[in-house]
Structure formats: structure tokens, C-alpha cells
Amino acid sequence: MAANFKIIVLDDDPTGSQTVHSCPLLLRWDGASLAAGLEHPSPLLFLLANTRALAPAAAAERVREICRALAAALPAAGLERWWLVSRGDSTLRGHFPLEVDVISAELGPFAATLLVPAFLEGGRTTVGGVHLLQGQPVHETPFGRDGLFGYSTSYLPAWVEEKSGGRIPASEVQGLAAAKLSRACGDGGQELAQWLAGLAAQPLVAVDAEQPQQLAALARVVRASPRPVLAQSAASWIRALAALPPQPLAGADLVALRRRGRDGEPLRGLVLVGSHVPLADAQLASLLAEPLCTGLELPVARLAQLLEAPLPGALLACLERDWLVELGEILAGGRTPVIFSSRGEFPCTSLAARRRLGDGLAALMARLVGALAPQLAYLISKGGTTTHALLADGLDLAAVELQGQLLPGLSVVLTPAELPVLTFPGNLGDPGTLRQAWRLMEGLESCS
């Protein structure tokens, strides 16, 4: 493999770096930001496109904009090799196949488009073409009933046909079986290399994955091939393709990134919960049972009325001032504020209205935290749209540096002001994981 290479990940929300470390995450893709990201010594560059929060046309336009910026920046970067990954959700939510279609049109052709939704670290596997969450077909879980990105099958070829509106028939989706990947672990990948070399017309290939070594075997073949490959994947494929060394910072080192005041006094942290999937509800309830955590609920029904009003600014500003006072009192009392939107999925009149509400809530949370950030030790942000708004708008950042994972799938990024932010996907963990993450960041539990 070329020594000078880059894996460029277009991430549809800010949680896709949950298996890797020591790389930049860009929230902007102007020429200077891209040049700095491409010059970074890491083999990985994440571009936080946040397209899952956008309507289809807007998502396509953003991906197109990023691809054209990359086309302008890549020649000057002097890379010997590069690969592209469209990072999507391990529970099959997102703008597929729209995003890979745009990437292919702008930066293709590619030898193949690999569909690799497995996130092994989070219990998401693909067996015989069927995508599973902890052994259950994922369409049978609440994620399959998502109001924006729901689906009715976990069999990936049929899922592709459904999501493409029949444009890509299930019969045209190739499968890469676990048995072939397992054989590659022992034969050096010769069979896989011959298979890849024989592909024509950029087929879509649904990849089985139950073990990390299966993805590692496929990654070795892809890295050695002279033909570039595009992937629509969750986080495990990125880890396999990058073949990174072990994470340099252990859990205790990540906790030690907590900021202190000017005189060395301990500061308090803050938790944001924007995700409203049932798992997030359970995690929030567990966290709020902690005596040192105090919740601030943002009333979604009331805010929905305000956001749809002709002039919402003055009323929102008044509410925000009151909430900031309350949050300041919680911090001054030595407790952790937990800001969350009221639970349940608010009924909206249209998908566009739902997106406007989601964006408005995320922006509100971001403004509140941005005002408090200078006095915080750390942040925990749960939910992709919430986290993107926090980083890009509330903290006004162009980039952050990924440090590594505190717990499986939970990444710590460091801002230029050295504020650690734990990014927490909405769909990850068990009911106690958010509470555990908070206790670790507070030093109430030791990292194993």
C-alpha cells in the first residue's frame, strides 16, 4: 500500500468516527480547511456533512459541493492513493442511494460500491445478506419505523430495491458472503482479489460481516487493488480500511482532558440529549436518577408553536435568558445540567416541518451551550443533529481533533479551546451507558 494515502469519509452525522482515533474532523470544506485536513499525518479525514438532517435535495447539493471542493483540493495534496467512504447509519437510516449516486457522478467511476452497514462494536452484524441488531432483523426494531428513514426489510438486496424506489432491483445487488471473507483470512486474499479485479460497471455489493477479521481481509484486498472502491458503510469498515495502530490514549487519559479553571479549580460538565429513540429515553431516565444531575426540559410542543410563528426571535430570546439563568444556578450548585427535549416524537404536519423543528431544537441547545462553554469542564452530546449543531454553530468550530473512544462507539473530540466533547450516537449502548459515560467523565468510576 502507498505510504502517502488518505481515506476520506463523508459523514452524514458527527458520530461516524466512533471506531478510530487521532484524526481531524472538518465541519467546513473551504480550500484552506481541506488543505489542512489533507496534510494531516493521519490516514483518515472526516468531513462532517450532517446530511441526515437535511431534505433529499439539500443533502444531494451538500454532497455535490463537498465532492467538487475535494476535486479541486486533491491534486495539490500529492496523495499516491485515496479512497472514499460515505458513512451512514448502522441501523440503515439515511439518504441511500442518493449520496453514493452523487459521489459516483462527481468523483467516479469506482470498481464497486460496497454496502457495509455492519458496526461490530455496537452489535450490528450482517449475515447472509440480512442486517441484524443484536441478532434481531433491524427492520423489526424501532429504527425500521423511523419517521424519516423507515424501511420494511432487513435483507439488504431488497432494502436497496425499496430505498431506490425500484431503480436498483434486488437481483442486481451482488453479495459478498462471510464464507468468502473468512477464506481470505487464510489464503492471503487471492480469491477476493480475483473477484474484485473482475467486477465491471460499478456493481453494488452487500457485504456480510460478523467478525473484524473478515472486514480486515477485505480491506487488505481493497488497499492493494489499483482500482478505487467506494463504500457506503458504518464505522467498522472505516476502522478496517485504515488499519490504525492501537489508540494512544487510554480511557483515563481521555477523562484527564477535562478542563479546569484558571486557578486549577474543578469545573462542571454538561450533558445534551437531543435523540428521542426509545433507547435514548431509557438512558436519559437512568442519568437523571443521579443526585448530582439536574434536568432542564425543553418543551417541544411549545417550541414548535414558537418556531412556526411569524416572529419567533423575541419570545425565544426571552426563554433562552431564563434557561441560561437556571443552567448557571445548576452549575454554581456543583451539579451537572442535563438539557433534553421533551420525550416522544412530536406529531408534525409534514417531513419538512419535522426537519425544521429538529433543526430549531438543535440550534436552541447549541446556543445555550455556546453561552456556557467557557465555564465547562467537558460536554456529552447525544444525537447526531444535536452534536453537529453544537460543534458547528454553538461552538463555531471549523474542525475538531478526534482523540479516541471512552467506551465502545463513544468518541472524545477536542476543540481548539481544549474542551473535550464526548459524542454519543442516539442508537448506541444499553440503558445504563449514558450514566456510565457521565460517571467516568466525573471521575466517579475508574476506566477499566
Side-chain angles (χ1 to χ4, degrees):
M1 183 173 63
N4 186 20
F5 73 95
K6 194 72 70 175
I7 300 162
I8 302 166
V9 184
L10 276 64
D11 201 345
D12 77 344
D13 85 357
T15 59
S17 53
Q18 59 200 145
T19 60
V20 295
H21 57 80
S22 312
C23 65
L25 280 61
L26 302 188
L27 292 106
R28 302 173 189 167
W29 34 88
D30 57 275
S33 296
L34 277 178
L38 291 168
E39 290 172 4
H40 193 282
S42 172
L44 281 162
L45 173 61
F46 280 77
L47 305 177
L48 303 187
N50 200 43
T51 47
R52 204 184 309 168
L54 302 178
E61 182 55 35
R62 181 166 294 179
V63 173
R64 190 175 297 111
E65 175 188 326
I66 293 172
C67 288
R68 291 179 180 178
L70 279 170
L74 282 167
L79 298 173
E80 296 175 55
R81 298 288 307 281
W82 54 270
W83 297 269
L84 274 169
V85 177
S86 174
R87 205 290 302 192
D89 181 52
S90 62
T91 58
L92 302 182
R93 297 171 300 160
H95 293 292
F96 177 88
L98 182 148
E99 296 191 33
V100 291
D101 286 346
V102 174
I103 294 170
S104 296
E106 295 291 333
L107 297 171
F110 299 92
T113 299
L114 302 179
L115 178 57
V116 198
F119 175 37
L120 304 180
E121 297 81 356
R124 282 82 159 156
T125 58
T126 308
V127 182
V130 177
H131 195 52
L132 306 171
L133 170 55
Q134 304 294 353
Q136 180 183 12
V138 71
H139 78 280
E140 297 176 358
T141 73
F143 304 111
R145 299 186 293 275
D146 184 88
L148 290 174
F149 300 111
Y151 47 91
S152 63
T153 177
S154 301
Y155 180 54
L156 291 180
W159 177 81
V160 168
E161 181 171 320
E162 179 180 342
K163 300 305 287 187
S164 68
R167 179 173 60 84
I168 307 172
S171 58
E172 293 185 4
V173 179
Q174 296 192 25
L176 185 52
K180 183 180 287 188
L181 293 168
S182 296
R183 287 197 298 272
C185 298
D187 69 2
Q190 294 181 3
E191 180 186 1
L192 269 183
Q194 292 173 355
W195 165 81
L196 181 59
L199 294 177
Q202 193 175 331
L204 185 61
V205 181
V207 179
D208 279 1
E210 300 175 73
Q211 302 293 332
Q213 52 266 39
Q214 294 168 334
L215 292 180
L218 178 59
R220 286 192 294 270
V221 170
V222 167
R223 291 195 302 263
S225 171
R227 306 174 68 198
V229 168
L230 174 63
Q232 169 75 29
S233 83
S236 291
W237 171 244
I238 299 167
R239 179 178 186 174
L241 190 59
L244 293 174
Q247 178 175 305
L249 295 181
D253 301 315
L254 295 173
V255 171
L257 295 173
R258 283 177 48 118
R259 291 195 307 191
R260 290 183 170 270
R262 291 182 178 179
D263 298 326
E265 73 275 14
L267 300 175
R268 309 306 306 176
L270 185 147
V271 181
L272 279 176
V273 181
S275 174
H276 55 76
V277 296
L279 176 58
D281 296 348
Q283 291 173 340
L284 174 63
S286 177
L287 178 63
L288 291 177
E290 285 281 348
L292 289 177
C293 289
T294 300
L296 174 64
E297 179 176 350
L298 304 181
V300 173
R302 184 180 181 190
L303 290 169
Q305 291 178 331
L306 283 179
L307 291 169
E308 292 294 330
L311 296 172
L315 289 172
L316 272 177
C318 183
L319 285 173
E320 287 177 38
R321 286 193 295 271
D322 291 343
W323 285 328
L324 282 172
V325 170
E326 185 174 347
L327 290 167
E329 292 172 349
I330 295 170
L331 289 167
R335 288 164 287 144
T336 300
V338 181
I339 305 175
F340 63 96
S341 55
S342 53
R343 300 291 87 188
E345 191 166 332
F346 183 76
C348 293
T349 56
S350 66
L351 294 181
R354 182 178 175 188
R355 285 194 171 93
R356 284 196 302 271
L357 177 58
D359 291 345
L361 286 169
L364 169 59
M365 288 183 170
R367 289 194 298 271
L368 292 172
V369 176
L372 297 168
Q375 57 185 295
L376 297 177
Y378 66 89
L379 283 164
I380 299 175
S381 181
K382 185 167 178 64
T385 299
T386 300
T387 301
H388 187 272
L390 168 67
L391 297 175
D393 302 321
L395 302 179
D396 193 26
L397 301 176
V400 291
E401 187 87 6
L402 176 66
Q403 305 300 306
Q405 283 73 52
L406 179 65
L407 292 169
L410 306 187
S411 296
V412 175
V413 302
L414 198 62
T415 73
E418 298 188 341
L419 175 64
V421 181
L422 181 68
T423 62
F424 199 129
N427 61 9
L428 194 67
D430 60 38
T433 306
L434 179 59
R435 176 177 176 270
Q436 181 186 10
W438 172 80
R439 290 182 63 84
L440 289 171
M441 291 301 296
E442 285 291 319
L444 299 174
E445 289 186 15
S446 60
C447 299
S448 56

